Amino acid sequence: MALTDSDGSVWLRPHRPPRDRQLSRDQIVSVAVTVLDADGHRGLSMRRVASELGVTAGSLYWYVRTKDDLLELALDRVLGEVRTDPAEADWRRALAALARGNREMLLRHRWALRELTVRPNLGPNAFALAETGLQLLARAGFADADVDAAMSAINDHVVGAVISQVSWIDSLERMSEARIGAGAGGGGSWSEHVATTYLREVADRHPMLARRMAATREIDVESECERRFEFALKCLLEGLAASHDAAGELTRRP
C-alpha cells in the first residue's frame, strides 16, 4: 500500500529530498533540538526555527508538515545519542551502559521525557536502540515475553529515575525563588516559619522519615540521584540475572 501525506507519523510518509542547497531536514531538526533544550516546548515554533535558520517559516513546510512532525524528528535525533557496545560479552555491563546513556540523554534533553509518552517512536534510532537492548537480553537467555518484560523494567527505571531527579531539582529551585521573593517583599508564598512548624509536626508522627529528610538537606542532589540510580540499576540487573538463573534451573530439573 502506498504511503500518502495523510498518514499520521512523519516516519510513515516519504522523505522529501532537499528543494534547495541552503536548507535540509537535518538542519531544521538540529535547530529544533537546540531550541527545545534552551526553552522547552513553549519555545518551539515553526516561526522560531525558521528565524534561527534565516529563512521564512513557509520554506520549512516542504520538509516538516507540522510542529508534531518536528517533535517526532527531534525525539529520534536525541535517541540516537544513546550508545552501547552490542558486542560486549557481559550482557549486564552492556545493559548498564545502555541505561546510563539513556539517563544522561534524558537529563540533557528534559523535553524528551514528555515526548516518549506521546510520540509513536517509529524512527530509525528508536528502533535501533530497542533492537540493541532486546538482542542483549536474548543473548543472556531471556526469551519471548520475558525479553519484553526485562527491557521494560530497565526502561521504566531510567525514566522514573530521571523524573524523580528533575522533580527534586525543580522543587528546590521553586522553594529558593519563593524564599527570595518573600525576603524581598515580593509576596512569595513560602514561609520559613510555617514550613518549619509543619515539618516539626510531621517529624513527631513519622520519625524515620524525618531523619531521612534531615540527612538529605546538605547533600549534592545530582550526585545523590546518580548514586541512587546506580544502586537501583545494580539491584535490577542482579535481580534479572537471578530470575533468569532460577528459571533455567527449573527447566533443567528432571
Side-chain angles (χ1 to χ4, degrees), residues 84-86 95 98 127-137 151:
T84 192
D85 181 8
L95 279 173
L98 193 68
F127 284 157
L129 189 59
E131 179 71 13
T132 297
L134 292 172
Q135 284 189 359
L136 288 170
L137 286 164
M151 194 71 255

Side-chain angles (χ1 to χ4, degrees), residues 21-92:
R21 296 181 179 180
Q22 296 181 338
L23 193 62
S24 69
R25 193 165 81 172
D26 282 346
Q27 289 175 297
I28 295 169
V29 175
S30 294
V31 170
V33 170
T34 300
V35 171
L36 285 163
D37 288 345
D39 299 318
H41 290 83
R42 292 183 178 180
L44 183 68
S45 68
M46 300 294 267
R47 186 182 299 276
R48 169 79 180 275
V49 172
S51 176
E52 295 287 341
L53 287 166
V55 300
T56 63
S59 63
L60 301 185
Y61 291 102
W62 173 260
Y63 303 92
V64 285
R65 191 176 65 179
T66 65
K67 181 178 175 179
D68 282 344
D69 283 358
L70 196 51
L71 285 165
E72 265 196 276
L73 293 165
L75 175 61
D76 199 67
R77 170 68 65 83
V78 298
L79 286 172
E81 297 175 9
V82 183
R83 295 282 188 270
T84 192
D85 181 8
E88 167 62 56
D90 187 329
W91 65 270
R92 283 185 286 185

